[in-house]
Amino acid sequence: MTIVLSRTARSIPPNVFERMDRTVAQARARGVDVIDLSKGNPDGFPEARIRAEAKAAVDSPANARYTPFDGKPLFLQAAAAWYAHEHGVALDPATQLFAVEGAVDGLAAAFAVLLDPGDVVAFADPYYPSYHCMARMLGAEELPLPARAELGWLPDLDAVPGETWDRVKLLVLNYPNNPTGAQAPPEFFARAVELAARHGFAIVHDFAYAGLSVHENQKSLLTVPDARDVGIEIVSLSKMYAMAGWRAGFVAGNEQLVAAVKQYHYQMGSMVTSFVQDAGAAALAGDQAFVREQAARYAARRAIVAEGLRATGYNVFASQGGLYVWAQAPAAMTGEELAARWLDEAGVAALPGSCFGRTGAQYVRLSLLQPSQRLHEAVARIGKLSPDMEKLHA
């Protein structure tokens, strides 16, 4: 008997990260010493005070019980404190914040409460693959906004006709950006908010890489006047505090949207683990020196990879945030061909830019989540590829 699956199940595209995991595992099974720069899986470790809070919280009898649906008050208050001291934004923990199990959990709920079949969702191309997957599962129409290298890998919002904006139900932003590492200046956010108010669409800002910039930190969308009238922001603790395996984050902003996400999540989601919320509260409300140290570590790693690739002749975007390097393939190659060659001939795994949309077809994304020694080795291996590689660069 063949069981007929739902339209939603049949619409789910392959997960590019899981597929690359299998590709890397197959290469390693053949004996290849793969330096895996395809993943956005943090290699750091939460600082001692965060771990100590988690350990103590495990021994609290109260933490063996279900947590409040919205999140523990301590966690929500700490999230509000983080917004106040890091971004100068005042939020009401009861109505403008909601605890979720990481950014994707919040994104899935936001997409679900905003999009019906046929609705239009816009996002910059290249994009985080989950945006495409969530839109497809909901039957929404996707409107990729091509980001341009000459604009610092931002899309030109004013190039979109007004009648097209009128059709948009949701605009998804993501800065620092995955995969490019681009950051959005305040005027970009301000223009997005202005367009949302004029044309009647909502904004969701995926702020998964908050605090991890090379120089000046990415500003919150909620610092823009009137942003809370049109949108929400989703923050993850995974990257900032090296808590990826602990699964915690929060949704912040517009009260109506936060309330809708709550109602959806009450039925379809799960509360963040009790002791993880206690540890997260300690992370958010405490000193942020650890985050700054992480950002500096990633900036140093970025320099190793970006400068090493440039020395070999590659065109590399001067990204200002996030955990990745965005490099252009030689003129006669696609990103898929380049990534395949790096893996086959150098044992270096990177994701082709086509995993993130059409605009990235001639690019590759390299993760910075390996020790510096391995990053140096990866660049050296790439630099030793056959001489005909050099002739292909534009």
Side-chain angles (χ1 to χ4, degrees):
M1 171 182 169
T2 300
I3 298 174
V4 179
L5 300 178
S6 69
R7 181 199 63 80
T8 298
R10 296 195 305 271
S11 71
I12 301 173
N15 184 298
V16 298
F17 307 113
E18 185 275 337
R19 186 170 56 190
M20 178 55 78
D21 280 353
R22 283 191 282 110
T23 300
V24 169
Q26 289 165 2
R28 285 175 171 161
R30 297 192 302 269
V32 180
D33 174 26
V34 178
I35 302 176
D36 189 0
L37 305 186
S38 69
K39 290 184 180 180
N41 193 0
D43 64 330
F45 196 42
E47 64 177 316
R49 67 181 180 86
I50 299 173
R51 303 197 310 273
E53 184 64 38
K55 292 171 185 176
V58 167
D59 288 331
S60 170
N63 277 334
R65 302 174 63 86
Y66 290 124
T67 61
F69 280 104
D70 291 358
K72 297 180 78 170
L74 179 69
F75 180 76
L76 298 174
Q77 290 160 9
W82 178 83
Y83 262 109
H85 62 64
E86 292 300 301
H87 296 284
V89 172
L91 294 172
D92 178 6
T95 62
Q96 296 177 317
L97 284 160
F98 176 61
V100 290
E101 293 181 305
V104 170
D105 188 28
L107 286 164
F111 271 61
V113 303
L114 282 166
L115 296 173
D116 287 316
D119 283 343
V120 177
V121 54
F123 41 78
D125 180 356
Y127 50 79
Y128 180 57
S130 287
Y131 308 156
H132 163 65
C133 180
M134 291 173 187
R136 186 167 171 179
M137 291 172 67
L138 292 167
E141 178 184 342
E142 299 169 65
L143 177 63
L145 306 176
R148 291 161 46 189
E150 64 270 24
L151 296 178
W153 284 101
L154 297 173
D156 183 355
L157 300 179
D158 290 319
V160 180
E163 56 268 26
T164 300
W165 282 127
D166 285 338
R167 297 178 55 239
V168 171
K169 184 76 174 294
L170 169 63
L171 170 63
V172 182
L173 302 175
N174 167 223
Y175 302 100
N177 181 262
N178 177 11
T180 66
Q183 294 201 161
E187 55 269 23
F188 177 87
F189 278 161
R191 182 57 176 154
V193 169
E194 180 183 354
L195 288 166
R198 179 183 303 171
H199 296 280
F201 59 80
I203 298 175
V204 170
H205 180 222
D206 178 0
F207 206 10
Y209 298 93
L212 300 177
S213 298
V214 178
H215 300 297
E216 183 177 352
N217 271 339
Q218 172 68 59
K219 301 295 185 186
S220 162
L221 171 71
L222 302 183
T223 61
V224 176
D226 302 324
R228 272 174 281 183
D229 292 340
V230 298
I232 55 175
E233 193 159 65
I234 300 173
V235 180
S236 170
L237 276 60
S238 296
K239 284 22 178 232
M240 275 197 294
Y241 304 110
M243 294 172 62
W246 297 25
R247 311 313 304 136
F250 47 88
V251 178
N254 181 274
E255 291 184 18
Q256 180 190 1
L257 286 178
V258 169
V261 166
K262 288 180 181 181
Q263 289 299 317
Y264 176 86
H265 206 271
Y266 293 166
Q267 303 295 341
M268 303 297 291
S270 180
M271 291 88 82
V272 180
T273 301
S274 55
F275 60 84
V276 171
Q277 290 193 56
D278 291 346
L284 289 161
D287 184 82
Q288 300 298 295
F290 176 76
V291 180
R292 293 190 290 273
E293 290 168 4
Q294 289 235 103
R297 184 180 306 114
Y298 294 138
R301 292 179 178 183
R302 179 180 283 103
I304 292 169
V305 177
E307 292 173 11
L309 290 177
R310 289 189 188 107
T312 307
Y314 287 94
N315 178 22
V316 180
F317 174 54
S319 54
Q320 292 301 303
L323 304 179
Y324 311 103
V325 165
W326 186 241
Q328 189 173 17
M333 299 183 76
T334 66
E336 289 187 2
E337 291 168 337
L338 180 62
R341 185 164 190 184
W342 281 358
L343 183 58
D344 292 343
E345 297 188 22
V348 176
L351 277 176
S354 56
C355 292
F356 307 94
R358 294 182 179 179
T359 304
Q362 287 202 266
Y363 287 80
V364 291
R365 190 200 77 170
L366 301 94
S367 165
L368 302 171
L369 300 172
Q370 290 282 353
S372 296
Q373 181 180 355
R374 290 289 272 176
L375 295 176
H376 278 295
E377 183 179 350
V379 170
R381 289 185 189 182
I382 291 170
K384 292 177 181 177
L385 289 180
S386 53
D388 66 311
M389 203 57 184
E390 302 299 319
K391 300 174 185 177
L392 293 173
H393 290 286

